[in-house]
């Protein structure tokens, strides 16, 4: 059974500023992934359709059992589309290995809190059909994703503070 994760974070910007200065800003993405210690390459970005595709190589050490399934040099592609009518970014994560057995999909939505703050809600569904290791992989991905988004929120707020 897939693991569902919901992450809520307060960001120091308006809803519009999030989409313009954070989500659509390649300079921020370079800053973000460098701050997370990841290798990052934007493969495609279409501002008209909201389609985005990026290749990411995480830097964290995986548990040995997970590394045996995913490989030591694990990468993934995040592919998603920003729906301007709903204000939601829907994405899938395509792992470099075991793509048929590991599924990650999610949504990012932004809700205004005040003129200077918004709340980011990230919902994820993480599933791993790997005999004997599925639950471990799901738990590992859920935990690392939570930790990465916590760092991500701090980097967003630091980046915006530097712009002001």
């Amino acid at each position: 059974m897939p693991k569902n994760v919901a992450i809520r974070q307060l960001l120091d910007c308006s809803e519009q500023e999030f989409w313009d200065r954070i989500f659509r800003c390649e300079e921020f993405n370079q800053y973000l992934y460098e701050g997370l210690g990841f290798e990052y390459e934007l493969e495609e970005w279409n501002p008209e359709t909201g389609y985005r595709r990026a290749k990411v190589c995480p830097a964290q050490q995986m548990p040995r059992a997970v590394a045996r399934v995913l490989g030591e040099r694990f990468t993934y592609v995040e592919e998603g589309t920003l729906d301007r009518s709903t204000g939601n970014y829907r994405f899938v994560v395509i792992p470099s290995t075991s793509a048929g057995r590991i599924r990650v999909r999610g949504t990012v939505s932004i809700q205004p809190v005040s003129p200077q703050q918004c709340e980011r809600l990230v919902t994820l569904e993480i599933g791993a059909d790997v005999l004997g290791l599925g639950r471990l992989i799901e738990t590992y991905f859920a935990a690392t994703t939570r930790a990465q988004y916590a760092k991500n929120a701090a980097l967003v707020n630091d980046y915006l503070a530097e712009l002001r």
Side-chain angles (χ1 to χ4, degrees):
M1 172 164 250
K3 188 174 267 312
N4 293 306
V5 176
I7 302 167
R8 292 182 178 276
Q9 297 162 318
L10 196 60
L11 302 176
D12 296 333
C13 62
S14 68
E15 178 182 12
Q16 189 61 48
E17 188 176 20
F18 173 82
W19 293 119
D20 293 343
R21 286 194 154 175
I22 301 302
F23 181 81
R24 293 185 186 105
C25 179
E26 189 54 25
E27 180 183 310
F28 170 75
N29 282 307
Q30 293 293 334
Y31 171 86
L32 171 67
Y33 286 102
E34 183 179 302
L36 292 172
F38 292 4
E39 293 175 30
Y40 164 82
E41 175 188 349
L42 181 64
E43 293 183 339
E44 187 175 345
W45 166 238
N46 184 328
E48 299 302 314
T49 63
Y51 176 78
R52 181 176 189 280
R53 180 181 171 95
K55 184 177 180 181
V56 178
C57 180
Q60 73 267 10
Q61 193 74 352
M62 292 182 274
R64 202 172 288 194
V66 174
R68 270 187 260 143
V69 173
L70 301 178
E72 292 296 327
R73 184 78 173 137
F74 173 72
T75 64
Y76 64 87
V77 170
E78 178 185 308
E79 187 174 75
T81 303
L82 173 61
D83 182 339
R84 293 183 198 279
S85 65
T86 63
N88 291 329
Y89 174 65
R90 297 187 193 291
F91 63 92
V92 295
V93 173
I94 305 161
S96 57
T97 57
S98 303
R101 299 184 298 163
I102 297 172
R103 298 165 318 285
V104 179
R105 64 176 167 225
T107 302
V108 176
S109 61
I110 302 295
Q111 296 298 316
V113 173
S114 73
Q116 297 83 25
Q117 289 189 315
C118 64
E119 181 180 64
R120 174 173 59 187
L121 172 61
V122 181
T123 56
L124 296 153
E125 182 181 291
I126 302 167
D129 297 326
V130 179
L131 186 62
L133 295 173
R135 188 171 303 284
L136 174 66
I137 292 170
E138 292 168 0
T139 301
Y140 169 74
F141 279 167
T144 58
T145 300
R146 282 185 187 283
Q148 290 164 3
Y149 269 99
K151 289 179 188 175
N152 178 314
L155 288 165
V156 166
N157 290 334
D158 289 347
Y159 181 81
L160 291 168
E162 289 176 17
L163 292 177
R164 293 187 172 109

